[in-house]
Amino acid sequence: MADTSVASSKTLKRKYSGKTLKVLFALSGNKCARPGCNNPIIKAATGQSMELVVGQIAHIIALSDEGPRGKVGLTDMELNEPSNLILLCPTDHVIVDGQHETFPASRLRDWKLAHERKYGEQLSSSISDIGYAELEVAARSLLSSGYHSSGTLVTIPPQAKIEKNHLGPTSVMLLTMGSAKSREVSELLVNAAQLNPDFPQLLRTGFVARYDQARLVGLTGDNLFNEMYEWAAGVTGDKNREAAGLCILSHLFLICDVFEK
């Protein structure tokens, strides 16, 4: 891509987690993020050919220090975080990198935020569709995952937690969407505690243990959030199961049991 063509003393690495790619594409609406551009990110399959990814992942701050919108001192992990990535059609990718003075990082971040908010409606719809049954299935699945923490849970306000963990606008948007079912998750935990008094605490400490493990391997910011989101969503590919997992993660985030530092 255009922002890797400039020579740099830095070793360039593109490395995106599966969940990062899922989130980027899910919030793209299958359209280029440049306002007014309707070029697709994925061309539909035809009778003779499979679907084709034609969109490109552009870096808001370039991978190369000397590249378009380059900035010295950032790690590969920071540069490949979802908050630094935007999906564009090939033409607009060339334009924003080739005329980067006209398209500073602040402008691309505004594009990304507006675009992802617009196309977050599909996930929001899935969240609206889930009920107590889906939340219960997700919670019991997560409880059986085998993650346990012996640490003490320390509470800090959600906004402070967002800042301490360097969560970007996309992660905050997903947490906001998931929190729409916070009351239902709270009800689930109360009901579950009547049959198993340890259920809420075991679920919470399981999330904390997963968070601690992710931090131990060096994940931070949106990459850390996406790791937690992917785990909470499960591996079934079921949209309702994914939405239920996000709701549980968001509720525990709000009541200050997860993402402590």
Side-chain angles (χ1 to χ4, degrees), residues 19-30:
K19 193 61 188 178
T20 290
L21 294 175
K22 288 179 184 177
V23 170
L24 278 174
F25 279 81
L27 296 177
S28 73
N30 196 29

Side-chain angles (χ1 to χ4, degrees), residues 4-5 16 25 58 64 91 148 178 197 201 206 212 226:
T4 62
S5 60
Y16 318 121
F25 279 81
S64 166
T91 298
H148 301 288
Q201 186 69 2
D212 289 342
N226 278 351

